[in-house]
Amino acid sequence: MHNSLTDLCFSPIQVTGTKSLPKSMNGTNYSRVTEFVLLGLSSSRELQPFLFLIFSLLYLAILLGNFLIILTVTSDSRLHTPMYFLLANLSFIDVCVASFATPKMIADFLVECKTISFDACLAQIFFVHLFTGSEMVLLVSMAYDRYVAICKPLHYMTIMSRRVCVVLVLISWFVGFIHTTSQLAFTVNLPFCGPNKVDSFFCDLPLVTKLACIDTYVVSLLIVADSGFLSLSSFLLLVVSYTVILVTVRTRSSASMAKARSTLTAHITVVSLFFGPCIFIYVWPFSSYSIDKVLAVFYTIFTPILNPVIYTLRNKEVKSAMSKLKSRYMKPGQVSVVIRNVLFLETK
């Protein structure tokens, strides 16, 4: 009797012909892995329905919370400011971060064999580094926005013009693209000809490279150096920016500075929640796979769901705009009127 769901999985290995293998490999036939087996969060059959329900609800909350922020910012003219423009883009990236692997993880709770094709695995690697890299740079842009607003308030609207905001968002996506392209360059040509079990719920790059048929020590160092450089440089920029801002806020005492402190608290909380797991996974070399798995769930699920909560609970402007949005679209009896109109049109 099988205790593990993955014991029942058999992933095909495609024989591509007779080629010379690296010296570290014995044999003459070069076989290429066409699928990877994802071990998921748990191998227990009893936990699968429970995990399916929990993560389905969490993913739904991520979509609703972040799209609500995007809708609120775009529909209320009072929120058409640089800070909220960047916040709406952060919510969009959070949806992307949560969506690159979570739907498949949820679907995998219902199947015995959690397999993913080689190309789909590379796609997951591409998107996770694209979205997380972009989010890191966007968080730096949001810190810069707060720095200008607090330290140079008289020049704020001149410096943070609409054009500058768009450029900052485009730069974040560009840096994310360069980052993920460099990461894929280390992986795409690696030979995978044997082990194909990834101890995670998605194709995490450090775990996938360990399955290659050659010694990947140098490649792993390059991957960690690439991700570590982006993570640490962004984090240090954020630390410097928020330190300067906090010193400025501390030397001034006014109602506007009290509001700035509240906003800064939300920003710093989000930065800590996002960068903590990322830096720990890619920079700290001694973490175990089980810890990495928990941290991966944290930055792909819990950070995107906490961001809307953090930014709305401490922000009166956003809460006021959401109340206005609710009164506009959720008036008493409006839903029943829409339903009656639809039924009337269908009977015509």
Side-chain angles (χ1 to χ4, degrees):
M1 183 175 179
H2 295 280
N3 294 322
S4 174
L5 295 176
T6 55
D7 291 341
L8 300 175
C9 295
F10 174 77
S11 182
I13 298 177
Q14 177 181 347
V15 178
T16 59
T18 302
K19 293 187 179 181
S20 176
L21 284 176
K23 291 182 180 179
S24 58
M25 299 296 296
N26 294 322
T28 55
N29 288 333
Y30 181 80
S31 300
R32 184 171 68 87
V33 170
T34 59
E35 286 184 343
F36 290 100
V37 177
L38 301 174
L39 300 186
L41 294 178
S42 173
S43 61
S44 170
R45 285 197 181 105
E46 291 75 15
L47 282 177
Q48 303 302 307
F50 174 74
L51 292 174
F52 172 80
L53 177 62
I54 293 299
F55 282 98
S56 296
L57 293 175
L58 288 174
Y59 183 60
L60 180 62
I62 290 170
L63 296 180
L64 292 177
N66 285 286
F67 279 126
L68 179 60
I69 285 183
I70 295 172
L71 179 62
T72 303
V73 171
T74 55
S75 63
D76 196 316
S77 59
R78 294 174 300 174
L79 300 183
H80 292 174
T81 62
M83 184 180 78
Y84 293 112
F85 174 77
L86 296 175
L87 175 59
N89 279 275
L90 177 66
S91 291
F92 176 74
I93 294 181
D94 277 337
V95 170
C96 295
V97 170
S99 299
F100 84 93
T102 306
K104 174 166 175 55
M105 177 184 69
I106 293 171
D108 282 346
F109 289 134
L110 303 178
V111 298
E112 291 185 347
C113 295
K114 301 170 174 54
T115 59
I116 184 171
S117 69
F118 183 83
D119 292 337
C121 185
L122 290 182
Q124 281 194 344
I125 293 172
F126 175 84
F127 285 119
V128 66
H129 288 279
L130 171 66
F131 299 144
T132 54
S134 300
E135 182 159 352
M136 288 179 189
V137 180
L138 185 62
L139 288 171
V140 174
S141 299
M142 295 176 73
Y144 175 71
D145 169 74
R146 291 299 84 204
Y147 166 77
V148 175
I150 294 171
C151 300
K152 300 178 183 294
L154 298 179
H155 305 285
Y156 177 63
M157 294 309 299
T158 303
I159 297 174
M160 294 301 296
S161 63
R162 184 76 175 181
R163 180 181 178 183
V164 170
C165 291
V166 172
V167 169
L168 288 174
V169 171
L170 292 177
I171 288 174
S172 70
W173 283 103
F174 178 74
V175 172
F177 179 78
I178 295 299
H179 169 62
T180 193
T181 303
S182 64
Q183 293 289 68
L184 270 185
F186 299 135
T187 312
V188 69
N189 291 321
L190 288 176
F192 296 94
C193 53
N196 66 339
K197 291 184 178 181
V198 180
D199 190 13
S200 186
F201 60 93
F202 71 97
C203 286
D204 198 7
L205 184 56
L207 301 182
V208 173
T209 54
K210 292 181 184 297
L211 301 177
C213 301
I214 59 174
D215 183 8
T216 57
Y217 178 75
V218 175
V219 173
S220 298
L221 284 180
L222 291 173
I223 289 171
V224 170
D226 191 341
S227 294
F229 174 76
L230 180 60
S231 300
L232 285 177
S233 59
S234 299
F235 185 71
L236 289 176
L237 283 173
L238 288 166
V239 169
V240 172
S241 300
Y242 285 124
T243 301
V244 173
I245 295 170
L246 288 171
V247 170
T248 304
V249 169
R250 192 173 182 178
T251 57
R252 302 176 186 176
S253 56
S254 65
S256 60
M257 288 301 106
K259 179 182 176 182
R261 290 189 195 97
S262 177
T263 305
L264 283 176
T265 302
H267 279 251
I268 294 172
T269 304
V270 168
V271 166
S272 302
L273 289 173
F274 181 79
F275 276 90
C278 289
I279 292 176
F280 193 85
I281 289 174
Y282 285 100
V283 178
W284 185 251
F286 306 110
S287 57
S288 65
Y289 288 161
S290 59
I291 296 176
D292 286 353
K293 201 181 295 187
V294 172
L295 293 173
V297 170
F298 195 85
Y299 78 78
T300 57
I301 301 292
F302 289 106
T303 299
I305 203 174
L306 287 173
N307 283 357
V309 176
I310 293 168
Y311 280 113
T312 54
L313 286 181
R314 300 183 63 89
N315 194 309
K316 293 180 180 180
E317 291 178 340
V318 174
K319 287 192 287 187
S320 174
M322 285 183 174
S323 299
K324 184 178 177 181
L325 190 69
K326 180 182 177 181
S327 63
R328 182 190 304 175
Y329 295 105
M330 300 292 289
K331 293 178 181 178
Q334 186 173 358
V335 176
S336 59
V337 170
V338 173
I339 294 174
R340 284 200 301 269
N341 289 338
V342 171
L343 293 176
F344 176 75
L345 291 174
E346 288 181 351
T347 56
K348 285 184 67 175

